[in-house]
Amino acid sequence: MNKLIPRVLLLLALLLPALSLAAPAGLPAVTVTTGPQGTSYSVTLQILILMTLLSFLPAIVIMMTPFARILIVLALLRQGLGTQQTPSNQILIGLALFMSFFIMTPVLDQVMDVAVTPYIEEKITLTEALQQARQPVSEFLLAQTREQDLKLFAEMAGDGPYQNSNDVPFAVLVPAYVTSELKTAFQIGFLLLIPFLVIDLVVASVLMSMGMMMLSPLIISLPFKIMLFVLVDGWTLVIGSLASSFFV
């Protein structure tokens, strides 16, 4: 076996030049063509661009979708209930991911209609497809972005004012959107925590009045908080309110 491996490597080394000469010419690695319809790229370069974009996919999903708002609200809700790791992080992330996909479906449909499908049918170039896909995404992000946050990042970038959504660069729009999402998520979380805080205060006051200062109030308040959350159909209210907040 030890003698076979060097022989195989030697045979491949001898055959490699012959195979390279016999093989047909491959696709050009990098070719950029400028024509009347715009700039077009070779297939190899398009694949490289696509793989580069896929490497940014986790950041895109987290920063340019409702994922961050939903996950923060669900995490604060779990903290208010006091159920420690129930539901688990995997369940919360999965729920936030599928809710984000549900909310982004209209935007994704528009991107498919105006950019992806024409590009697959070779009606537009890659550059035109990216420009067409930008508009529905920008409109969604702008609809959820506070004007003061957008103005802040535009001033720091030395840009603006903007006439429409296409004029706002993603370098300004994305951080403004993320900042607005964080503010909105914590505002919703604050409202969710108030009822649970009231229950904790009532239970702690009752225990102190009864002289049970050594007993943790969380042990007593947890069943009451879960009972209240179930009676008001809390999951439906929270998830429904989060989803509808993006369609207002």
Side-chain angles (χ1 to χ4, degrees), residues 96 129 143 200 217 241:
D200 287 334
S241 300

Side-chain angles (χ1 to χ4, degrees), residues 30-61:
V30 178
T31 301
V32 181
T33 305
T34 303
Q37 295 182 351
T39 305
S40 61
Y41 303 91
S42 63
V43 177
T44 307
L45 187 57
Q46 293 180 22
I47 295 175
L48 178 62
I49 295 173
L50 178 61
M51 296 303 294
T52 304
L53 292 177
L54 288 178
S55 64
F56 286 96
L57 186 59
I60 293 174
V61 171

